[in-house]
């Protein structure tokens, strides 16, 4: 691929002033990649690499922005530090419709990887709109990706449900803090994809029931409990959950108002906002998606006594699994690490928040930032790798 694709456009200083971050943690670098001949428009943000080379997903969506990429990269810095991984945080995005023909998608992903060949402090992982196969293409081009297919030595984290497994342990740990049992608990999942499906599957395994779910096309509701396996099999045929005949169709954006015990956002950022937060009727919000709740909405949830588990603590299963894969651990060791790390972190965050009365997110950010700064203190160049 042509070296001209490697085109820095926005400086770290611009980003800092644009998004108001002056905390010295990052970003380390922001790179825009364009190759007009194939319609490639992408961004990489490497936020902080004090603990080691950054790991973060490659997202493909038509509406992704540099700001979203930056916020997601910062979330990865905090997530990886909170999880005690020897990795910093980064994120990359390609602005495109992930449902494009497979050959075009392969061209874009391979080209983007080639353009970033020299950025050795970023390791690609899967995210919305990309999967294990995409990571296989990246590995084939530049040898630097995780979340690989099993056929090339990977632990297929989305097929196995690494993030859903971690989310399930986050919920189990949080039960003590909301005085609730999983047996019979009503669960609502927004975004019945890799994270949402597996979270529902593991929670159901402990006696909870999925009473509503959605995808980008619509929603489905059944207060007696949806058949999680059948719904997943149906969705695998390419149809929307809204067409499933085991429940009543629901408008996608009305999912937030379905009364439940546990509401799991597992789709897009900023889905719970000041405008709709008061429609939510749940006791626990388990953030499977990245940055699904705005800060204002997070405060309102706290006021309403709805416990909200911060994304970068509760959904760290995928990156813990990916880091274990990078370090050549076995699948069972990876799943054990997810359970151990998430259980410990959720308990620590909720104990801190209970003691101080602050938002769980604020307690989690303080805990993670302390860990990032501790890593930076071991380095000669505090943000460079
Ligand atoms: P996915 O592509 O497998 O599934 C996403 C699902 O969300 C799809 O079913 C899609 O139709 C649906 N969706 C999109 N827009 C929607 C909307 N407006 N309303 C309802 N549903 C909508 O993606 P995923 O891997 O499950 O990731 C979901 C979220 O979790 C993302 O925010 C991702 O960044 C985050 N996350 C994923 C992992 C992981 O291991 N896969 C780890 C941590 C965080």
């Amino acid at each position: 691929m042509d070296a001209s694709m490697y085109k820095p456009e926005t400086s770290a200083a611009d980003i800092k002033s644009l998004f108001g971050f002056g905390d010295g943690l990052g970003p380390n670098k922001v790179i825009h990649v364009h190759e007009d001949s194939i319609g490639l428009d992408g961004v990489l943000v490497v936020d902080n690499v004090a603990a080691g080379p950054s790991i973060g997903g490659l997202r493909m969506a038509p509406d992704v922005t540099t700001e979203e990429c930056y916020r997601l990269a910062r979330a990865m810095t905090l997530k990886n530090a909170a999880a005690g991984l020897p990795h910093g945080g980064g994120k990359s995005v390609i602005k495109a419709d992930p449902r494009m023909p497979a050959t075009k998608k392969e061209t874009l992903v391979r080209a983007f990887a080639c353009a970033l060949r020299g950025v050795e402090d970023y390791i690609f992982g899967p995210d919305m709109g990309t999967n294990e196969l995409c990571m296989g293409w990246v590995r084939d081009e530049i040898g630097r990706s995780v979340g690989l297919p099993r056929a090339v030595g990977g632990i297929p984290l989305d097929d196995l449900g690494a993030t859903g497994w971690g989310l399930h342990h986050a919920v189990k740990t949080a039960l003590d803090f909301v005085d609730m049992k999983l047996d019979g608990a009503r669960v609502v999942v927004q975004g019945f994809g890799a994270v949402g499906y597996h979270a529902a599957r593991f929670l159901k395994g402990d006696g909870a029931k999925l009473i509503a779910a959605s995808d980008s096309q619509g929603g489905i509701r059944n207060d007696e409990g949806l058949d999680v396996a059948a719904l997943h099999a149906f969705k695998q045929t390419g149809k929307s959950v809204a067409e499933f005949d085991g429940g009543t169709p629901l408008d996608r954006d009305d999912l937030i108002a379905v009364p439940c015990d546990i509401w799991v956002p597992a789709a897009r950022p900023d889905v719970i906002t000041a405008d709709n937060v008061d429609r939510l009727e749940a006791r626990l919000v388990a953030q499977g998606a990245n940055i699904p709740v705005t800060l204002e909405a997070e405060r309102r949830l706290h006021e309403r006594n709805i416990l909200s588990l911060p994304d970068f603590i509760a959904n760290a299963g995928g990156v813990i699994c990916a880091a274990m894969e990078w370090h050549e651990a076995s699948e069972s060791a990876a799943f054990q690490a997810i359970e151990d790390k998430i259980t410990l972190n959720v308990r620590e965050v909720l104990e801190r928040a209970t003691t101080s009365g602050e938002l769980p997110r604020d307690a989690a950010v303080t805990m993670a930032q302390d860990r990032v700064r501790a890593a930076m203190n071991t380095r000669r160049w505090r943000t460079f790798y």
Side-chain angles (χ1 to χ4, degrees):
M1 246 351 108
D2 183 341
S4 66
M5 288 170 59
Y6 190 99
K7 184 174 156 193
E9 277 195 343
T10 312
S11 73
D14 289 341
I15 288 282
K16 276 182 197 167
S17 72
L18 192 59
F19 304 128
F21 280 88
D23 57 10
L25 297 187
N28 171 261
K29 53 176 85 90
V30 179
I31 297 167
H32 285 238
V33 175
H34 300 285
E35 175 56 54
D36 291 343
S37 67
I38 53 167
L40 174 63
D41 184 3
V43 183
L44 166 68
V45 176
V46 176
D47 185 45
N48 185 291
V49 289
S54 65
I55 292 188
L58 165 60
R59 172 167 298 194
M60 185 181 284
D63 55 352
V64 283
T65 62
T66 301
E67 179 183 351
E68 183 176 331
C69 187
Y70 177 60
R71 290 169 66 204
L72 293 166
R74 170 53 55 91
M76 290 310 299
T77 297
L78 298 179
K79 186 186 296 191
N80 295 348
L85 301 175
H87 293 282
K91 198 87 182 182
S92 60
V93 298
I94 295 177
K95 191 172 175 176
D97 185 344
R99 291 166 304 182
M100 70 179 68
T103 48
K104 175 153 169 60
K105 186 166 182 174
E106 179 170 353
T107 303
L108 289 186
V109 170
R110 284 184 182 273
F112 190 56
C114 287
L116 298 172
R117 184 187 301 282
V119 189
E120 293 188 357
D121 51 13
Y122 174 62
I123 300 164
F124 287 80
D127 191 60
M128 274 182 81
T130 64
N131 58 15
E132 284 100 7
L133 179 59
C134 298
M135 293 307 106
W137 298 332
V138 173
R139 174 182 182 268
D140 186 41
E141 295 295 340
I142 64 169
R144 222 175 45 241
S145 59
V146 288
L148 291 163
R150 209 189 288 278
V152 290
I155 305 176
L157 60 92
D158 277 343
D159 285 353
L160 296 169
T163 302
W165 174 247
L167 209 55
H168 157 248
H169 283 285
V171 168
K172 278 176 74 167
T173 310
L175 293 175
D176 289 347
F177 295 80
V178 283
D179 195 20
M180 189 167 82
K181 289 192 167 40
L182 261 186
D183 197 20
R186 297 160 303 159
V187 177
V188 169
V189 169
Q190 181 193 53
F192 200 67
V195 174
Y197 157 60
H198 287 291
R201 178 169 74 87
F202 289 123
L203 290 169
K204 188 176 178 201
D206 274 344
K209 60 179 178 178
L210 178 71
I211 61 159
S214 66
D215 58 27
S216 57
Q217 313 296 312
I220 186 88
R221 175 174 180 177
N222 182 342
D223 289 349
E224 299 308 311
L226 291 156
D227 182 333
V228 173
L231 185 60
H232 175 63
F234 182 77
K235 181 123 176 80
Q236 294 302 99
T237 65
K239 297 199 178 111
S240 164
V241 294
E243 298 169 69
F244 182 62
D245 64 10
T248 312
L250 182 72
D251 188 88
R252 187 186 80 176
D253 297 326
D254 286 339
L255 193 88
I256 195 161
V258 176
C260 63
D261 299 301
I262 304 165
W263 206 84
V264 181
R268 301 283 295 137
D270 297 335
V271 294
I272 305 181
T273 66
D275 292 336
N276 64 9
V277 63
D278 284 332
R279 297 183 72 201
L280 190 81
E281 285 187 56
R283 297 165 72 190
L284 186 63
V285 174
Q287 299 183 16
N290 290 318
I291 49 173
V293 186
T294 66
L295 199 52
E296 229 180 332
E298 197 100 58
R299 289 200 190 99
R300 182 70 189 133
L301 290 175
H302 193 57
E303 279 167 19
R304 291 184 57 209
N305 209 17
I306 298 172
L307 181 57
S308 179
L309 301 178
D311 53 358
F312 66 90
I313 301 294
N315 74 14
V319 77
I320 296 170
C321 187
M324 295 292 281
E325 176 190 300
W326 184 253
H327 296 281
E328 299 181 359
S330 69
E331 193 175 301
S332 57
F335 271 64
Q336 192 60 52
I338 294 168
E339 178 177 340
D340 294 348
K341 285 174 180 291
I342 291 188
T343 301
L344 273 175
N345 277 338
V346 170
R347 186 161 297 283
E348 177 165 348
V349 165
L350 296 185
E351 279 171 355
R352 282 182 182 223
T354 307
T355 307
S356 65
E358 65 191 328
L359 295 182
R361 169 163 299 272
D362 291 341
V365 167
T366 305
M367 182 186 87
Q369 283 179 342
D370 288 350
R371 292 178 187 178
V372 177
R373 291 210 167 84
M376 288 167 79
N377 284 339
T378 69
R379 305 301 301 267
R380 178 175 173 209
W381 308 117
R382 290 165 65 91
T383 58
F384 290 81
Y385 184 65

